[in-house]
Amino acid sequence: MSFAIRKQGDVVVVDVEGQLIVGNRQELKQKVLDELERGEKKFLIDFGHTGYIDSSGLGVLVSLSKKIREQGGELRLANLNDDLKTLFELTKLDTLFQIADTKERALESF
Amino acid sequence: MSFAIRKQGDVVVVDVEGQLIVGNRQELKQKVLDELERGEKKFLIDFGHTGYIDSSGLGVLVSLSKKIREQGGELRLANLNDDLKTLFELTKLDTLFQIADTKERALESF
Amino acid sequence: MKHRSDTVAMSPIPSHVRVALELRIPSDVRYIERVVEMVTRQCAELEYHPRQLALNVPVALTEALSNAILRGNREMPSRSVRVRAEVDRDRLVLEVADEGTGFDLEACLVDPTSPENLTREDGRGLFLMKRLMDRIERFDNHGNVVRMTLRRHD
Amino acid sequence: MKHRSDTVAMSPIPSHVRVALELRIPSDVRYIERVVEMVTRQCAELEYHPRQLALNVPVALTEALSNAILRGNREMPSRSVRVRAEVDRDRLVLEVADEGTGFDLEACLVDPTSPENLTREDGRGLFLMKRLMDRIERFDNHGNVVRMTLRRHD
Ligand SMILES: Nc1ncnc2c1ncn2[C@@H]1O[C@H](COP(=O)(O)OP(=O)(O)O)[C@@H](O)[C@H]1O
Ligand SMILES: Nc1ncnc2c1ncn2[C@@H]1O[C@H](COP(=O)(O)OP(=O)(O)O)[C@@H](O)[C@H]1O
């Protein structure tokens, strides 16, 4: 599992590769918070290379979304496969997040 | 598992691919007996692509060796890996068969 | 061993196959991923539905394991977590045992989709286990055991 | 599931792993190869020695299975063979059960390497099981059961 971060225009894009679970979610949280502290406002998390996400992974997304909004920023999610979509639907978190089908759409929407 | 038979000079070469076990040994036996009936005398069984051999596979080799000798022919074995060599040693069948390290050596020795 | 897959492919599949996997891990969340991988692999061999392999099994098992490690065992190095997965072509039974004192499953199960809970960071574990598995039970056996059952879908 | 193997590689291996495989097959020797493949694969996961994977396990198991199918069950379609393989990092225990009336293991065990037996076609099965496994036992349990034990080598 690894989190690749890069800048695309004025958007910070994070690729979640592998699992986002209790064992590594702090790493994602810290990386995004570091960027937020540096003054970044637009965040896109790309799940195109993600395996499964557990409740603590979902919890980190909820927490980041709050913190980013507090700083006047925005968090978008993209590229959820059908299983991940179901996970967001089951927990109704699809109503809390802005979820785009592709990274391109997500980038355009900021 | 399959038994590929071809002629190399005046030697019938049989490749045993996969396992030589109770489920398929009759097929090997029949193929070799057919060639024997056709008048062939020199037989080489190549175990370079063989997995494991069970007691009934060994039994077929013993039986074929007898039948070939009765017709004035010869059976040689080649290309046994270390595990198969051990199997022949455990059963002392290494003393009954002419076993060559390589197919080339076996062919030369006829 | 020199197997040729076409070889084994010609050998028919047993009429009944059941695999029981028994594992023990320290109270450390880093072990979770490997355990999940080992269990889903056995389910994959028995041709569970891709969604069960990618969603139901890994997420529910991860929740049960992290609860056992963090809640039941409170990450104490002296405690370990035992996992038993029994899989056949009908169903998967997962048992996750910790050395804690147990908990009240019904009482702890809150609805994380209610408006007041939706923005909470925690409290989705038992809910997901319940929604992703066909059955979930809790009982005591020298500690706390959570058992989850999932019927196989093609 | 989108796993990256480097991902799982970072997740440590459980301190204890035991796999029990239970299979049932018809009294038909064509099933043998698949059963052998399933059992050796579990041993391979637990890093048994390549020689054990290529020689000891497949040959001894094939012998036990063909005896169960041909001798114990006499290939009767109404009868089946049950196999139980229990593997951990210490040892493999194989149990092959048929629906026959059993046999006298000691009496049936002949020495196929003696000059008078060397050219016989049969009679090497039990001998190989005994030589390739660390222990072999026979007992009754609603039929005949042969149990073989092999200690793992690295
Ligand atoms: N194995 C366990 N041992 C003790 N308590 C547990 C266990 N599993 C769950 N619980 C209790 O159930 C509660 C709800 O668990 P869960 O739904 O997974 O949410 P979270 O773990 O995020 O709080 C936990 O906070 C804990 O009190
Ligand atoms: N499962 C079994 N049920 C009944 N008899 C058996 C069984 N396994 C072995 N035997 C007896 O032991 C004898 C020796 O077996 P084995 O050494 O495998 O040689 P083979 O099967 O070639 O005769 C068999 O001929 C049979 O009489």
Side-chain angles (χ1 to χ4, degrees), chain A residues 39-71:
Chain A
E40 298 295 346
K41 295 276 179 256
K42 297 179 181 175
F43 291 86
L44 167 57
I45 304 187
D46 187 334
F47 293 100
H49 297 103
T50 308
Y52 52 93
I53 301 180
D54 72 358
S55 67
S56 73
L58 293 174
V60 155
L61 296 178
V62 170
S63 153
L64 285 175
S65 138
K66 274 190 226 167
K67 292 211 158 71
I68 292 169
R69 225 176 306 116
E70 280 165 20
Q71 304 294 317

Side-chain angles (χ1 to χ4, degrees), chain A residues 55, chain C residues 63 67-68 71-72 98 102-103 108 122-127 144:
Chain A
S55 67
Chain C
E63 300 302 340
N67 279 343
R71 310 296 188 183
D98 61 56
F103 63 105
C108 287
D122 58 358
R124 293 182 183 85
L126 294 175
F127 172 82
N144 170 58

Side-chain angles (χ1 to χ4, degrees), chain B residues 71-105:
Chain B
Q71 305 294 317
E74 277 179 80
L75 170 66
R76 309 238 154 125
L77 313 182
N79 252 333
L80 298 164
N81 65 35
D82 286 347
D83 300 320
L84 292 176
K85 271 185 202 149
T86 301
L87 186 72
F88 278 79
E89 286 161 13
L90 276 177
T91 51
K92 295 213 174 126
L93 289 177
D94 59 329
T95 65
L96 200 72
F97 290 104
Q98 302 215 43
I99 301 175
D101 274 351
T102 65
K103 195 177 69 175
E104 290 64 38
R105 290 241 182 100

Side-chain angles (χ1 to χ4, degrees), chain B residues 55-56, chain D residues 63-64 66-73 96 98 100-105 108-110 120-129 138 144 146:
Chain B
S55 67
S56 73
Chain D
E63 300 301 341
S66 63
N67 279 343
I69 293 166
L70 303 175
R71 310 298 188 183
N73 286 356
V96 176
D98 61 56
T101 49
F103 63 105
D104 182 337
L105 183 59
C108 288
L109 235 170
V110 296
R120 279 183 49 183
E121 285 178 46
D122 57 358
R124 291 181 184 86
L126 294 174
F127 172 82
L128 283 174
M129 286 155 69
R138 197 209 70 78
N144 170 58
V146 170

